[in-house]
Amino acid sequence: MIENSIVYRDFKGKYEYLPLSKSAGAEIWDKNGKRYIDFTSGWNVTNLGWNNKEITDALIAQANKNVQGLLWGSDPIQEEYAAAIIAALPKGLDACAKATGGTEAIEMSIKIARAYTDRKKIIGFDGLYHGQLFASLALGAPGHAREKLTPLVPEITPIAFPHEDIGEEGFEKFATEFEALLANKDVAAVVTEPGIITGWGSTLLAYPGFLTKVRELTAKYGTLLIVDEVGTGFSRTGKLFAIEHEGVTPDMIVFAKGISNGAAAIGTVVGRSEIFEPAFTDAVLISTFGWTPVACAAALKTLQIHQRDKTWEMAEKKGTYITEKLSQYIGDKLVSIRGKGMEIGLRCKDAETAGKIQKAAFADGLHIVVGSANNIQLMPPITISQKLLDEGLAILAKYLK
């Protein structure tokens, strides 16, 4: 067993380990005391910086009161967090299900959709990441992540993701084919990220208006829309929640990762009570360790900090700065830069080049990851200081030239 480690993948798909000994803000140290500037946030987890003191203090204060909840009851901090996250979301999303993380929450949302609609079919999109259990993998995991694990869950089918390069004609074709899939009124739900792929590391953007069109068509045919904000939530893309970019209100929205800034394991499905209540018994919406009081204390303080400091504005400003600084290196090694806020993809000319840049930067004290194939995915803590941001970008620039 390897403890206290950060996992990253090299350009050949091999997993390696970084033995993490301590962390603070946007810096991490390995067991030998070597310090790295972190441009990963543990993959969109520590958006407010590693070991944020305010969040740690809130967790400790709750630990001195109560650390575990009941399946058939609630702790005051659970009720307080539920009220806070509901208040932060569009009107109508007024119910929460307790989970321990993103995968569990995604699977809960699928159960709710099937129980409520009495339909079996679920549609996902190729290349989107929703977790590591069988239903979540079936939603869109690429071939290398599913080939030895099949068969997955039946009647969960991924379709092609309409990325921004398909053009207007391509998007119209997508919309026509997508509507045809829903027209039989036998699809329980569509599951998608809100216009940018944060998992599997491609950082692909959807064609403009993607989420709006999906919402329009799902509503037309009585299909539920489930938006996975595990990677995009809590200021990462330049909005508190990425659904705000298009002003779309889904039937359910899933959170994890940045929900507690990594201080404790927690996830949730937030949706409409008119859907949750009739589905509750059949979907069995319980989780022994979902929403422990200490996790809720950490999640509540995390949300409060984002709202108080308008962290999404930092992400928008710094994301623009990063893109502008690195755009000058587009050429031989770097093909393009894409992303939203501080979720940025550096598309290199090939996978080998991406791997070499990652390894060279890592040896030089910058922690970055190759997300998939030839794409380096940059996800620094949103609260990173300008000094550390510039220092990290200077290291990266050396190997992009």
Side-chain angles (χ1 to χ4, degrees):
M1 180 178 180
I2 300 176
E3 299 179 346
N4 300 321
S5 298
I6 295 176
V7 182
Y8 70 90
R9 185 171 58 209
D10 70 12
F11 70 93
K12 293 181 180 177
K14 178 183 176 183
Y15 284 90
E16 300 183 11
Y17 292 86
L18 188 160
L20 177 65
S21 65
K22 67 176 183 176
S23 57
E27 297 172 287
I28 59 177
W29 287 263
D30 67 18
K31 66 181 181 181
N32 297 317
K34 182 175 178 179
R35 167 260 199 186
Y36 301 86
I37 298 170
D38 178 52
F39 271 21
T40 75
S41 302
W43 212 296
N44 296 324
V45 175
T46 58
N47 293 345
L48 297 175
W50 292 79
N51 291 310
N52 182 287
K53 187 177 185 305
E54 286 187 83
I55 298 169
T56 301
D57 288 346
L59 187 152
I60 292 171
Q62 178 59 45
N64 287 320
K65 298 176 185 177
N66 181 38
V67 297
Q68 178 60 17
L70 293 167
L71 291 177
W72 53 91
S74 62
D75 184 280
I77 193 68
Q78 294 174 329
E79 296 174 5
E80 189 177 356
Y81 183 64
I85 191 67
I86 286 170
L89 289 165
K91 185 177 180 181
L93 300 176
D94 61 351
C96 302
K98 305 171 185 175
T100 57
T103 296
E104 184 183 10
I106 283 288
E107 304 253 338
M108 279 183 167
S109 72
I110 292 171
K111 291 198 299 178
I112 292 167
R114 283 181 166 176
Y116 176 74
T117 65
D118 202 26
R119 303 174 182 178
K120 301 302 180 186
K121 292 182 180 179
I122 307 289
I123 291 176
F125 292 92
D126 279 325
L128 275 66
Y129 182 88
H130 299 291
Q132 288 293 338
L133 294 181
F134 285 96
S136 44
L137 285 170
L139 284 167
H144 73 267
R146 58 196 294 159
E147 58 188 11
K148 290 189 177 181
L149 303 178
T150 54
L152 300 177
V153 177
E155 299 201 68
I156 298 180
T157 306
I159 62 176
F161 180 68
H163 56 79
E164 61 182 347
D165 297 330
I166 65 171
E168 184 177 355
E169 185 177 341
F171 187 67
E172 288 176 358
K173 182 174 183 289
F174 157 77
T176 299
E177 293 175 350
F178 182 67
E179 182 167 11
L181 289 174
L182 303 183
N184 289 331
K185 296 186 178 181
D186 59 356
V187 178
V190 173
V191 184
T192 183
E193 288 194 81
I196 181 172
I197 301 180
T198 61
W200 301 119
S202 70
T203 333
L204 273 174
L205 295 174
Y207 188 81
F210 159 74
L211 197 61
T212 300
K213 178 57 69 173
V214 169
R215 172 70 289 186
E216 173 194 325
L217 293 175
T218 51
K220 181 177 179 179
Y221 294 104
T223 296
L224 300 182
L225 174 58
I226 302 167
V227 174
D228 181 345
E229 287 244 28
V230 171
T232 57
F234 304 96
S235 303
R236 176 54 59 182
T237 68
K239 300 287 186 183
L240 180 57
F241 307 118
I243 56 170
E244 296 173 23
H245 288 290
E246 293 190 37
V248 167
T249 302
D251 297 295
M252 288 181 265
I253 187 165
V254 176
F255 296 114
K257 286 187 180 287
I259 192 172
S260 69
N261 205 59
I266 181 172
T268 191
V269 187
V270 185
R272 295 190 280 127
S273 56
E274 64 193 70
I275 293 172
F276 279 40
E277 287 175 4
F280 182 86
T281 301
D282 291 328
V284 192
L285 302 180
I286 58 173
S287 174
T288 300
F289 296 109
W291 282 40
T292 63
V294 288
C296 286
L300 178 60
K301 180 56 66 175
T302 297
L303 178 58
Q304 290 171 340
I305 293 171
H306 280 287
Q307 292 174 319
R308 180 194 71 200
D309 297 345
K310 296 183 178 179
T311 314
W312 55 90
E313 294 181 356
M314 300 181 197
E316 178 66 26
K317 182 179 179 180
K318 290 175 184 175
T320 299
Y321 179 81
I322 292 167
T323 300
E324 289 176 350
K325 290 286 284 188
L326 297 181
S327 290
Q328 62 184 299
Y329 301 107
I330 293 176
D332 179 42
K333 294 181 181 179
L334 182 60
V335 175
S336 66
I337 301 176
R338 61 194 175 208
K340 287 185 178 181
M342 290 177 77
E343 186 80 3
I344 298 170
L346 307 181
R347 187 163 65 93
C348 301
K349 68 176 183 179
D350 53 41
E352 185 171 1
T353 298
K356 287 179 177 178
I357 291 169
Q358 184 271 324
K359 289 181 179 295
F362 185 73
D364 212 359
L366 177 65
H367 181 224
I368 56 176
V369 290
V370 174
S372 63
N374 62 337
N375 192 63
I376 296 171
Q377 193 156 311
L378 303 182
M379 306 159 278
I382 297 167
T383 53
I384 188 172
S385 69
Q386 190 64 42
K387 181 178 180 295
L388 279 178
L389 181 59
D390 283 335
E391 186 180 342
L393 290 174
I395 294 171
L396 182 56
K398 285 195 294 184
Y399 305 105
L400 293 176
K401 291 178 180 177

